[in-house]
Amino acid sequence: MKPFFLPAFLLLSLSVQAADWPTFRGADRKDISSETGLLKKWPASGPKQVWLNKDVGLGYAGFAVVGDTVYTLGARDVVEYVIAVDAATGKEKWAAEAGALLTNGWGDGPRSSPTVDGDKVYAMGGKGTLVCLNAADGKEIWRTTMDSLGGKVPGWGYCESPLVDGNLVIVTPGGAQGTLAAFDKATGKKVWQSAEWTDPAQYSSIIAVDHNGARQLIQLTMQSVAGVNAADGKLLWKTEFPGKTAVIPTPLFQDGQVFVAAGYGVGCKSFKIKAGNEIEELYASTDMVNHHGGMVLVEGHLYGYSDKAGWTCLDFKTGAVKWAEKKLLGKGAIHSADGMLYLLEEKTGTVVLIEANPKGWEEHGRFTLQPQTTQRNPKGMIWVHPVVSGGKLYLRDQELLFSFDVSGK
């Protein structure tokens, strides 16, 4: 009998599906880790720090974690880099140029998370350069720019994380040539651009869902939320969602229902995509005024920070408020794993573990991130979203990248 070997690329693919965190908010962009057996209560001092890398560059870029590597972006001098770090030791493996430095009054540098697909990494620089690199060594495969697609750099820079879906990598250049654009992920050749939808780019990241017999790409702008066909970029449906200043959170989808939210007093809206892609509004309110910390949907309940009432739990189907808590922790970002919520306060770097419980706030530990950067812009805060992967909690404050053991082992 011949020995049975799996090809290396298949092993990597299986690994990504099993437990890794290949892109912003995870493979399904729901921001819920599939890991189990994690700590349900933290020691008084917080979980054990595994390592600290003090040189991943400036900016607000998040992480992709695949196999034994953490991928992020960071600015060094006047260049933005994609940076690969050993997940076990925190030591840098390689750095590759992503594009010129985005300068901004709230802090310079990149804002997105890389996306890992098989043996490739896709990353968006702050000025809108999209690069494809070898995951193993950072060697460049291809690159393109959002301005070549008619896009204009939004006020706070390009912040979305590229979506890889099938053979395509899809991004949001925005503008008259089309809001969304898809490329052959292997060659970088443009496959389509959504000419029927021409809103300028904002800061949200695309989600992909199977609904009404099609693969739908759902994205949010300052004017609307819409779905396009992943096969050809044709507009399937669109509904108004007027934003103010900046529209940032990633849409949520479950059982044909979409939920979107924005800050600056805008609030939230939820609707059903019915047969024939007809849109039926379910509710709209200011009970979830989510700025940029994101939201998660756990067992029918939506959690996130609302500028109106603080940390808030809503019934997803109806929009009814189940509870709100503002005194115990200030504004920040959220992540979910193993039935728990990981909350990060943006001003202080306080990290809190609570249950994902619609009955109320049940806290199971907290600690404050230390040390904190001395290089952050005075207007900037700790805005990088937490990620749990491989039993580790990853946090970042500018050039400082932390790994904490939350595995429960």
Side-chain angles (χ1 to χ4, degrees), residues 35 38-39 42-43 45-53 63 70 87-88 90 342 344 349-351 366-372 382 386-397 400-409:
E35 297 194 16
L38 304 177
L39 288 172
W42 289 344
S45 59
K48 180 182 177 181
Q49 182 177 304
V50 180
W51 50 256
L52 167 61
N53 183 312
F63 330 104
V70 182
Y342 294 72
L344 171 63
T350 300
V351 187
R366 68 169 59 204
F367 70 99
T368 299
L369 202 59
Q370 292 293 343
Q372 294 184 17
I382 302 177
V387 165
V388 173
S389 182
K392 306 298 188 294
L393 168 63
Y394 294 99
L395 298 166
R396 179 177 181 177
D397 181 14
L400 305 178
L401 173 59
F402 299 79
S403 171
F404 294 90
D405 187 353
V406 293
S407 65
K409 295 179 181 179

Side-chain angles (χ1 to χ4, degrees), residues 104-128:
N104 184 268
W106 278 257
D108 300 343
R111 276 105 163 91
S112 67
S113 301
T115 296
V116 180
D117 178 72
D119 59 359
K120 303 293 190 295
V121 181
Y122 302 86
M124 178 78 79
K127 286 188 171 182

Side-chain angles (χ1 to χ4, degrees), residues 3 13 29 37 77 89 95 181 207 223 227-228 231 279 309 315 324 356 368 389 399:
S13 175
R29 297 225 149 148
D77 298 321
T89 66
I207 65 171
Q223 292 81 25
V228 307
I279 301 301
D315 183 293
T368 299
S389 182
E399 80 281 11

Side-chain angles (χ1 to χ4, degrees), residues 199-376:
D199 291 354
Q202 276 288 291
Y203 309 97
S204 181
S205 291
I206 305 163
I207 65 171
V209 305
D210 292 309
H211 189 64
N212 286 345
R215 187 68 167 168
Q216 300 197 12
L217 305 173
I218 301 175
Q219 178 61 303
L220 180 63
T221 70
M222 182 74 78
Q223 292 81 25
S224 55
V225 53
V228 307
N229 195 318
D232 55 16
K234 298 293 186 183
L235 186 66
L236 296 172
W237 55 266
K238 184 172 71 169
T239 183
E240 290 186 358
F241 187 72
K244 296 178 182 176
T245 309
V247 174
I248 305 167
T250 300
L252 295 171
F253 174 93
Q254 183 171 283
D255 299 329
Q257 183 177 343
V258 178
F259 182 98
V260 292
Y264 302 96
V266 172
C268 62
K269 173 180 175 176
S270 190
F271 54 90
K272 198 85 171 180
I273 311 171
K274 301 179 72 176
N277 292 315
E278 179 187 349
I279 301 301
E280 177 191 5
E281 184 171 313
L282 301 175
Y283 57 86
S285 75
T286 56
D287 290 326
M288 181 56 73
V289 186
N290 189 261
H291 186 192
H292 50 59
M295 302 158 291
V296 294
L297 176 58
V298 183
E299 296 184 351
H301 292 91
L302 186 146
Y303 301 86
Y305 188 89
S306 173
D307 290 344
K308 177 181 177 182
W311 294 98
T312 299
C313 172
L314 300 181
D315 183 293
F316 179 70
K317 287 186 176 180
T318 68
V321 176
K322 307 302 289 187
W323 59 261
E325 174 57 62
K326 204 167 190 174
K327 295 181 181 179
L328 295 176
L329 189 72
K331 181 175 178 176
I334 190 169
H335 173 74
S336 182
D338 201 13
M340 308 298 283
L341 303 177
Y342 294 72
L343 313 179
L344 171 63
E345 187 179 64
E346 62 182 22
K347 285 186 177 180
T348 65
T350 300
V351 187
V352 175
L353 183 71
I354 70 169
E355 288 186 27
N357 189 337
K359 295 181 179 179
W361 178 284
E362 289 193 31
E363 186 170 322
H364 291 260
R366 68 169 59 204
F367 70 99
T368 299
L369 202 59
Q370 292 293 343
Q372 294 184 17
T373 184
T374 59
Q375 300 188 63
R376 193 191 316 132

